[in-house]
Amino acid sequence: MSKPGPSELETREALSAAAEWVATYLQNPERYPVLSRVRPGDVSATLPDLPPEQGERLEDILRDVDALIMPGITHWNHPGFFAYFGITGSAPGVIGELVASALNVNAMLWRTSPAATELEQRTLRWVAHMLGLPTGWFGEILDTASSSTFCALAAAREAAGLDIRNRGMAGRPDLPPLAVYTSCEAHSSVDKAAIALGFGRNFTRRIEVDDAFRMRPDRLAQAIEKDIADGVRPVVVVATTGTTSTTSVDPVPAIADLCERHGIWLHVDAAYGGSAALVPELCWVLEGCERADSLVTNPHKWMLTPIDCSLLYTRHPDALKRAFSLVADYLKTDDGDAVNLMDYGLSLGRRFRSLKLWFVIRAFGRAGIAQVIERHVSLAQELARQIDEAPGWERLAPTPLSTVCFRHVPGPGVDADAHNKEIVDRVNASGEVFVSSTVLRGSYAIRVAIGNVASERRHVQRAWELMREVAG
Amino acid sequence: MSKPGPSELETREALSAAAEWVATYLQNPERYPVLSRVRPGDVSATLPDLPPEQGERLEDILRDVDALIMPGITHWNHPGFFAYFGITGSAPGVIGELVASALNVNAMLWRTSPAATELEQRTLRWVAHMLGLPTGWFGEILDTASSSTFCALAAAREAAGLDIRNRGMAGRPDLPPLAVYTSCEAHSSVDKAAIALGFGRNFTRRIEVDDAFRMRPDRLAQAIEKDIADGVRPVVVVATTGTTSTTSVDPVPAIADLCERHGIWLHVDAAYGGSAALVPELCWVLEGCERADSLVTNPHKWMLTPIDCSLLYTRHPDALKRAFSLVADYLKTDDGDAVNLMDYGLSLGRRFRSLKLWFVIRAFGRAGIAQVIERHVSLAQELARQIDEAPGWERLAPTPLSTVCFRHVPGPGVDADAHNKEIVDRVNASGEVFVSSTVLRGSYAIRVAIGNVASERRHVQRAWELMREVAG
């Protein structure tokens, strides 16, 4: 019986062909419409209902990437991608992923992955240094900010000293309700974590924001004091530097004051905004964050690294470890003080994510990444000015970083929300750019988020041109 | 100012060089010692303390992969890797990862990734079909079995109808303690999930196993009945098909009977063992699993797929969605009934993991994967027979699949645990093979787990030869 799977020659040829394909793709993603034009079910209809019984040739599968998969791709790696957060799977990061997937190591224990464990810690230190965060903080790389925030909140819950690890939360008359505080502009991952960890949505306090969509410390103080008076225990505050809708930056110093006064864990969600601190002029985004108990920032958002790569830092690794560490007999080792990263999160299996981050940081250098971020911010500031100056258009939020929220004001009798939604849909149908939307103070807002390494002035200006054309 | 990062030409050359490097690596990982020989801190000592300010050339970074990273790699993709679970990052899967990382799509919403969303659902269906599971089950791809089990337990908690989503678990006099049941041989991820979800370790009932390390349904019944009598509410039972220490298979049909009788959610951890059902003679491993409420199986373990790739199935997608769904304004779409996969787990960001799985299934075919698994099982069975026949050696557990647990019985007055640990350490120092250990009924056991696509008879026999040599 022949050996299953591709031969060595076929493998070598297919790897080479795939590398060529990737180089060509990264060189010119603009061949494709940025937003896929398929309708739900279209891709499925091209895929066999049942798996093949016998193996197929790799060249045929690669051909089907073009034929079956590409039509259903919305191109996050396209310079006209301005939706959600513009992100980049840069070539150095892609090469890092390629090598990591071939090595296929599991960075659970030090001994199963010495290089992965130690490179993870070193790249975390590098990023902390670049962002002006304390380099002595413990860190780990997780998949997404949702996971990082979840782990941070789990550590905060454990640090509250209620022995939830062993005794659980249900059926305990000694336990008061436990509350989480975050702004009403914070990411839904805070609610998800609060639900999963048993705090409950009803005890996730969404604090009011100011005119610039920043959490109001006075309202936070009131909420905390009211809860304490009502017998609810405040456990954790989540501040955001770079909220998802408008990239507003919460006043972390004032929030840190409150947390210190009440002994509450402060977690900072800097998933998007954190990277901006690479640029000296933007380092204010992390002001006060050195006082946080934990902080998440995502190189897969604005630091040119392919998803997934989320960095969680904490000054309390012991709390994180108490929240998650369990060492089975089959995992016991005697490597002394070496860090076993499985002890600090939900997952035992851990990919070698630091390799791509190492490739990215080395290939671009701090200055190179900073230059990309600076350009994005500058392009967004130009667009913001243009909107401010254009009759019939209005910005709906400040633009502190590279995301612009605005709308067109239609003539009398026309529903503004429907009108702007129509603009977004028609612009996105062009295939040239893809913008998303949000809701700000009850109004539908067009949202342009600039973050892809290949996005240039012409792409942003084309988006603006298309919107004006469509708005009439 | 020049554009930061590598040029198009440099990118193309580096991608090509990396593809060559990977082809060569996959062709002959035996050039390297399987277990890294570095000591804690060795890799760190070679890495600069601070990140580079300016970008470096990709060829230099690739050279440093060889110089700095490879010495610290424990080679999970090596045919002599018999530790933990032998796994495979096969070439087709590596190619899938390469393409996915260049596309860099985020499969959170259908519209952000139509192909990723629909290919995910189709490959899940393919795997269900191959394993003989209900093809109508809802499924999703997560990173690890730890995450999948966590999500399953969160769904079970939500399905209990206690409105924990909104009301939380703390400070609720109406809530009884909530219990989770699993065998004392189950994976630590069950405890981790129980801790995170607020059940608590004290309410994670570790049920006794029989002589073959399988959960005893009679003891499970007793534990459930005692809890009910004591006012504790049973929420979920986790059965395992292929436990980590010995790959024992819990009697799922009898456990399903109990769960049905008491209205308890049944989750099956088939992370490792599930793949065996691809082989017709081994389909008994999933007997009764069609009655489960949820099930996890990991193609990154025994289905030739690079980590991470864990499949979670459930017959109750609504419960899973209630446990996790939160749709922010900036994520609202109008794509009708299309599935948005972000609604079914903790993470909003989701990699295009189905692409590598699609490559693997197509490149090997069901028959090819089955052939690899059959060979692993057959190699393990031969080793088990040899151990049984060898004077002074004894197996410490049955060998239902491809993992063999055993020890050498030393002469009188010699500590058996220390003696066998010494065998493991000396064999692993050879660099030819890497085996791990566990503890069975209090005794240290050598554990050989066969699961890499390149592992042949000669690798297993060499491990056995080395052990006999060392044992003296």
Side-chain angles (χ1 to χ4, degrees), chain A residues 247-387:
Chain A
T247 72
S248 59
V249 176
D250 286 340
V252 173
I255 295 169
D257 286 345
L258 277 169
C259 288
E260 279 166 20
R261 189 172 320 144
H262 292 284
I264 304 173
W265 183 291
L266 172 59
H267 174 63
V268 175
D269 175 358
Y272 163 72
S275 302
L278 269 152
V279 179
E281 294 71 30
L282 297 172
C283 68
W284 60 268
V285 298
L286 292 183
E287 191 193 344
C289 288
E290 72 285 352
R291 295 165 64 191
D293 296 287
S294 56
L295 179 144
V296 54
T297 191
N298 283 8
H300 77 220
K301 285 209 170 63
W302 212 2
M303 218 181 278
L304 313 180
T305 307
I307 57 167
D308 44 11
C309 188
S310 176
L311 312 189
L312 173 63
Y313 292 98
T314 180
R315 62 173 73 251
H316 309 289
D318 287 351
L320 193 56
K321 195 169 176 178
R322 272 203 312 280
F324 291 109
S325 178
L326 281 166
V327 184
D329 288 325
Y330 46 83
L331 292 172
K332 288 196 172 127
T333 62
D334 47 7
D335 294 315
D337 292 337
V339 169
N340 294 317
L341 287 164
M342 66 171 192
D343 289 340
Y344 298 90
L346 204 57
S347 289
L348 173 60
R350 307 179 75 260
R351 293 171 68 237
F352 190 177
R353 295 192 187 97
S354 59
L355 196 65
K356 58 184 169 186
L357 182 56
W358 183 66
F359 265 88
V360 167
I361 297 173
R362 289 191 60 180
F364 285 89
R366 187 213 59 84
I369 305 173
Q371 192 181 324
V372 172
I373 291 173
E374 265 184 301
R375 192 185 66 225
H376 292 154
V377 173
S378 148
L379 293 173
Q381 301 303 321
E382 181 186 15
L383 177 62
R385 280 194 304 275
Q386 291 172 316
I387 291 163

Side-chain angles (χ1 to χ4, degrees), chain A residues 38-337:
Chain A
V38 300
R39 299 188 160 276
D42 284 357
V43 175
S44 298
T46 70
L47 300 168
D49 204 40
L50 298 179
E53 177 66 10
Q54 301 299 331
E56 302 175 53
R57 288 188 59 78
L58 287 169
E59 63 184 315
D60 294 334
I61 309 172
L62 278 169
R63 197 175 305 126
D64 277 350
V65 169
D66 284 317
L68 311 182
I69 304 299
M70 294 308 280
I73 294 295
T74 290
H75 294 272
W76 289 70
N77 230 354
H78 186 294
F81 187 99
F82 299 127
Y84 312 104
F85 280 122
I87 61 173
T88 304
S90 69
V94 171
I95 292 170
E97 279 287 48
L98 169 60
V99 172
S101 67
L103 294 174
N104 206 34
V105 304
N106 183 341
M108 57 187 203
L109 295 166
W110 178 86
R111 71 170 349 202
T112 66
S113 50
T117 302
E118 297 188 15
L119 189 65
E120 186 161 328
Q121 296 178 290
R122 185 55 49 95
T123 51
L124 281 152
R125 185 181 155 81
W126 285 6
V127 172
H129 176 81
M130 293 193 292
L131 300 184
L133 292 169
T135 50
W137 278 2
F138 173 84
E140 62 175 331
I141 306 185
L142 297 168
D143 57 346
T144 63
S146 302
S147 293
S148 293
T149 291
F150 168 81
C151 288
L153 267 58
R157 192 184 67 174
E158 194 55 35
L162 304 165
D163 198 19
I164 288 170
R165 174 183 168 92
N166 291 308
R167 297 178 59 204
M169 299 170 85
R172 283 183 62 177
D174 63 313
L175 226 54
L178 307 175
V180 177
Y181 305 79
T182 198
S183 92
C184 53
E185 290 293 314
H187 193 261
S188 57
S189 58
V190 180
D191 301 83
K192 271 200 191 186
I195 292 171
L197 292 164
F199 295 104
R201 284 201 88 182
N202 298 356
F203 295 94
T204 306
R205 312 302 191 195
R206 287 287 197 161
I207 307 299
E208 204 181 318
V209 292
D210 66 15
D211 287 351
F213 302 97
R214 299 172 298 206
M215 193 197 290
R216 284 181 54 175
D218 58 329
R219 294 302 168 96
L220 174 62
Q222 286 166 13
I224 290 171
E225 281 152 23
K226 180 175 187 312
D227 273 338
I228 293 171
D230 291 349
V232 173
R233 169 137 180 206
V235 172
V236 56
V237 174
V238 181
T240 311
T241 62
T243 58
T244 309
S245 275
T246 73
T247 72
S248 59
V249 176
D250 286 340
V252 173
I255 295 169
D257 286 345
L258 277 169
C259 288
E260 279 166 20
R261 189 172 320 144
H262 292 284
I264 304 173
W265 183 291
L266 172 59
H267 174 63
V268 175
D269 175 358
Y272 163 72
S275 302
L278 269 152
V279 179
E281 294 71 30
L282 297 172
C283 68
W284 60 268
V285 298
L286 292 183
E287 191 193 344
C289 288
E290 72 285 352
R291 295 165 64 191
D293 296 287
S294 56
L295 179 144
V296 54
T297 191
N298 283 8
H300 77 220
K301 285 209 170 63
W302 212 2
M303 218 181 278
L304 313 180
T305 307
I307 57 167
D308 44 11
C309 188
S310 176
L311 312 189
L312 173 63
Y313 292 98
T314 180
R315 62 173 73 251
H316 309 289
D318 287 351
L320 193 56
K321 195 169 176 178
R322 272 203 312 280
F324 291 109
S325 178
L326 281 166
V327 184
D329 288 325
Y330 46 83
L331 292 172
K332 288 196 172 127
T333 62
D334 47 7
D335 294 315
D337 292 337

Side-chain angles (χ1 to χ4, degrees), chain A residues 420-439:
Chain A
N420 281 279
K421 189 175 178 318
E422 171 78 13
I423 294 174
V424 166
D425 288 344
R426 287 181 55 194
V427 163
N428 289 345
S430 73
E432 293 181 71
V433 297
F434 177 30
V435 304
S436 59
S437 62
T438 189
V439 175

